[in-house]
Each structure stands twice: as C-alpha cells, then as structure tokens.
Amino acid sequence: DVRWIPKGQKGAGNLTVFNNGESRGWSSVDELSLPVTAIGFSKIPVRKPWGPTKASWTYSASDKRSFFSGHISGANRLPNGNTLIAAGEQGRIFEVTLAGKTVWEHQVPKERLGNTTKAPRGPPKGPPRGQRGGRGGPGQGGLWRAYRYTEEHSGIQALLGDKK
C-alpha cells in the first residue's frame, strides 16, 4: 500500500509504504523521499539503482515479530503528522506518532475478520465462482486499510444532522 503524502502534511511529497516484510517475518511502515529536482523527478540512471537507499522514517514494533501482516494492510499520514496503520491479517487499526508512540488502537473482533489464514504462495487466483474478491480480499477475511475522518467531514456531518 503506497501513498503520496499530500501537500501541507508532515513529509509532503514523500511516499508511505506498508512493507509486509514477508521474507523477514515482520512488517514496517516506511516513508520514502524520492530523488526529485525542482521541476520533477530526477533522471533514472541506466543499470544503476535509483531512489533512496534507506527510509526517511520507519515504524516497526519494538518486538518486531509482534507486528506482522504478510498480505493486505495499509498506512497513511494524517493531517496531524501521525500515521494511521491497518495491520490487515490481525484486524488491528492504530495511530502512531513520528516518535513511534501508539496514540490509540482498535481491534476488529475476530469473528468480523473471517478466515485470515495466509493465502497460498504463487500468483493470485480468482475467487470461487459466485464470490467477490481474490487472494486475501473480500470474502476471505482480513482488513484492507482504514481511514480516519474528522467530525468536519461531510459524511460525518450528514450522519450527525441535528444531533449536534
């Protein structure tokens, strides 16, 4: 799950990436600063690496193996500078500061997640006939990503109506 950090937010113009960490056994959320010039991206060199050699910011759990989601998951930078993380396989949604401190978290009840066993290796296969979703998708359990909306969001305002 790769996302641009919007203008006006901490790290604007960088990317946030939910790195599943399948081969290392623990996940992280990384912020990458891509090499750009005043007029746009720098020229990509032929047969040489291009891009950052390390993340400009990373979140991982102090006990690395306690934060792992081998597929489906997401992260995005919030206007307050914190990062919202959805660990898909566990159904855990939480917000962390740039210092890595967890501000709040929510655990989706396991019965709501359905079957969250890891999908088999290899290319994704389509869903069984008559079902929507594919590998790790709807119908197979898990949590793709999460969004945080403020009270000022038009959808929240519509729900609140006269209840304010």
Side-chain angles (χ1 to χ4, degrees):
D1 184 41
V2 180
R3 310 247 186 129
W4 291 103
I5 300 174
K7 285 182 180 179
Q9 293 186 11
K10 178 74 173 162
N14 293 344
L15 300 173
T16 56
V17 179
F18 189 101
N19 183 344
N20 297 99
E22 180 80 24
S23 63
R24 66 184 180 200
W26 53 274
S27 298
S28 63
V29 174
D30 302 316
E31 179 183 331
L32 304 175
S33 303
L34 301 180
V36 295
T37 63
I39 58 170
F41 290 104
S42 63
K43 185 176 179 182
I44 299 174
V46 178
R47 295 188 190 110
K48 292 182 182 177
W50 178 84
T53 56
K54 65 179 187 169
S56 52
W57 176 82
T58 295
Y59 168 80
S60 61
S62 53
D63 172 12
K64 293 195 184 314
R65 302 233 180 249
S66 70
F67 176 50
F68 178 70
S69 190
H71 72 293
I72 65 169
S73 296
N76 62 300
R77 183 64 46 81
L78 298 171
N80 66 4
N82 293 345
T83 302
L84 182 67
I85 302 172
E89 289 180 19
Q90 296 80 27
R92 180 178 172 224
I93 304 167
F94 60 109
E95 180 179 337
V96 298
T97 65
L98 289 174
K101 181 179 186 279
T102 301
V103 177
W104 62 267
E105 66 181 292
H106 172 73
Q107 178 65 54
V108 176
K110 297 292 184 197
E111 59 273 9
R112 296 271 176 130
L113 291 173
N115 177 9
T116 59
T117 57
K118 290 178 79 172
R121 289 203 174 273
K125 294 181 173 58
R129 179 172 275 170
Q131 288 187 16
R132 295 180 52 184
R135 177 173 155 178
Q140 291 191 6
L143 172 70
W144 283 99
R145 61 179 60 123
Y147 298 95
R148 182 169 176 205
Y149 297 100
T150 65
E151 190 176 297
E152 292 76 32
H153 186 276
S154 60
I156 303 295
Q157 289 293 312
L159 285 173
L160 293 174
D162 294 331
K163 297 177 185 175
K164 296 194 288 181

